Amino acid sequence: MTMIDVRAEIDKEIERTKLEILVFGPAIDPPSPNPHTASLQLKRREIKRRLIEEGHSASFAEDIVDPSLPAPLADPLLQEIAAMRAADLIVILVYSPGSILEAKTITGSKELCPKAAFYCFEDHKGGLVVQHLQHMVAFGVSVQLVSLADVKACH
């Protein structure tokens, strides 16, 4: 009698699972002279590329916003909210004003909180945004504090 290899079956199931993932953070263009912003711009590109290589669907806000829609649907935040609701996972590299607004939007929705993984610079841990996000863990968000060296070294 042949035993079922449960580990192999789980690995196959994980391989077959494909997710819709949004990757938010500082705008990709133009490249920033600020080392923190530049590191996050590069990391967003790397995250998106890696997710796509693994068979997932990954998008930036820049990819999904359609400015040709009529008002008020042309509002980029309204379009992002619609995309967030449809996504399986939302990765937010928190640093820029836009990513802070996205973070606030997510934490205001019990539906979106469990989909969110926030990455914040550890030198901001005493700030209002990071403190708020840490309290929102109770509603399902994930918050990781990282250093600039962590962001550059993470693959």
Side-chain angles (χ1 to χ4, degrees):
M1 181 158 120
T2 306
M3 297 284 293
I4 295 173
D5 184 347
V6 175
R7 180 176 298 249
E9 293 303 315
I10 291 171
D11 287 345
K12 286 182 205 174
E13 189 62 31
I14 290 171
E15 183 66 29
R16 286 191 296 264
T17 302
K18 303 303 177 198
L19 302 174
E20 294 285 337
I21 303 169
L22 297 173
V23 184
F24 291 157
I28 297 300
D29 291 310
S32 176
N34 176 295
H36 287 82
T37 303
S39 71
L40 294 178
Q41 289 173 317
L42 177 61
K43 190 55 59 183
R44 282 183 75 208
R45 285 186 181 99
E46 290 174 4
I47 291 169
K48 180 180 176 185
R49 178 187 48 77
R50 180 72 185 266
L51 290 169
I52 291 170
E53 286 173 358
E54 292 183 8
H56 301 290
S57 172
S59 301
F60 297 146
E62 299 91 324
D63 300 330
I64 60 171
V65 172
D66 182 355
S68 71
L69 291 174
L73 300 177
D75 179 341
L77 184 58
L78 290 178
Q79 292 181 40
E80 285 187 18
I81 292 168
M84 286 186 240
R85 287 187 178 131
D88 297 306
L89 175 65
I90 309 162
V91 176
I92 308 94
L93 308 179
V94 181
Y95 190 73
S96 62
S99 63
I100 292 170
L101 178 59
E102 290 157 346
K104 177 60 186 119
T105 300
I106 291 166
T107 60
S109 168
K110 287 183 181 178
E111 170 194 358
L112 298 177
C113 282
K115 298 179 177 191
F118 294 100
Y119 295 86
C120 308
F121 283 114
E122 59 191 12
D123 47 335
H124 296 160
K125 67 183 172 193
L128 181 64
V129 173
V130 174
Q131 289 182 37
H132 172 66
L133 293 175
Q134 289 174 325
H135 285 286
M136 297 309 293
V137 168
F139 295 99
V141 305
S142 168
V143 180
Q144 295 291 319
L145 297 178
V146 297
S147 68
L148 180 57
D150 293 334
V151 172
K152 290 180 177 181
C154 179
H155 300 286

